[in-house]
Amino acid sequence: MKTILFPTDFSDEAAHALPIAAQLARQFNAQLHLIHMLSPVLPGYTPILHDAPTQYQQALGLVEQAFDELLQLPCLNALPVKTHVLTGTDPTDLLTDDRFAHADLLVMVSTGATGLKESLTGSNAEHLIRRAAMPVLVLKQAVTYLDIKSVVFASDFESDYDASIEFFKTLLDDFDYPTVHLLFVNTINRFVPTHEIKLRM
């Protein structure tokens, strides 16, 4: 694992998740990329046309200042970190950026800020998860250290999972091989006999 992406809206929630992205970057000797999506027009602001470039430059200055503050955090000390500002309104644009096309992992929070902090929440986060070609780690709550002891692998166990399993092994190998639970959810509408599911597993 060489490249880890961390989209941030500079919210407290995102800041609380940053130590986990930093931990993984250290464990795998990977480069960490901090990414902020900056709208060309600030939310809640209707610009006069000639004021828009000035307003954007002011916002860009605030973003660069916020990045500078993040880079001072102890969790990023001595880590190879790059910061990026993407212009746009759709956070999924980062997935089509050539610089990030071959990233190994996307780390993100499931909730973030609103308003002027350019939120990365709700449906936006879901779109990122659905459209990302790389594995995605979504952090639901603030933790300072990721210690994986038990993992649930939910699947229909029909498809080809070679790439997923290889990544899974790479990730878990660094955590002393946690217990892995294979889960198939059987439903009345798509019922599969137990002996067939166990064979797939």
Side-chain angles (χ1 to χ4, degrees), residues 4-180:
I4 297 176
L5 308 182
F6 185 80
T8 179
D9 55 9
F10 304 115
S11 64
D12 290 341
E13 290 83 358
H16 291 154
L18 186 56
I20 302 304
Q23 173 194 341
L24 293 172
R26 284 187 201 285
Q27 286 182 211
F28 292 98
N29 196 27
Q31 184 163 67
L32 181 60
H33 293 260
L34 307 183
I35 305 166
H36 180 75
M37 183 66 66
L38 179 61
S39 172
V41 178
L42 296 182
Y45 175 71
T46 305
I48 301 171
L49 191 58
H50 68 271
D51 282 346
T54 302
Q55 195 66 224
Y56 179 80
Q57 287 301 318
Q58 290 174 347
L60 186 59
L62 292 174
V63 169
E64 291 172 351
Q65 181 181 340
F67 270 138
D68 288 343
E69 291 174 5
L70 282 185
L71 293 174
Q72 300 305 312
L73 293 175
C75 67
L76 297 181
N77 186 38
L79 262 183
V81 179
K82 288 190 175 181
T83 60
H84 308 272
V85 180
L86 303 184
T87 301
T89 56
D90 185 354
T92 62
D93 287 348
L94 73 90
L95 300 175
T96 58
D97 192 299
D98 290 341
R99 294 170 294 179
F100 314 129
H102 302 292
D104 300 295
L105 180 65
L106 174 66
V107 179
M108 59 185 296
V109 291
S110 61
T111 59
T114 57
L116 293 177
K117 287 190 176 178
E118 194 65 22
S119 64
L120 183 62
T121 63
S123 61
N124 284 335
E126 185 177 337
H127 289 317
L128 266 174
I129 294 166
R130 289 182 181 275
R131 289 182 54 190
M134 73 284 290
V136 179
L137 173 62
V138 181
L139 300 166
K140 301 285 287 183
Q141 58 187 7
V143 290
T144 56
Y145 184 78
L146 190 63
D147 187 15
I148 301 176
K149 296 188 179 300
S150 182
V151 177
V152 176
F153 187 87
S155 171
D156 60 9
F157 301 100
E158 280 189 326
S159 306
D160 181 4
Y161 289 102
D162 287 353
S164 297
I165 293 298
E166 283 306 311
F167 175 81
F168 208 41
K169 287 164 61 179
T170 298
L171 180 65
L172 299 188
D173 188 32
D174 220 58
F175 287 94
D176 269 341
Y177 284 99
T179 302
V180 177

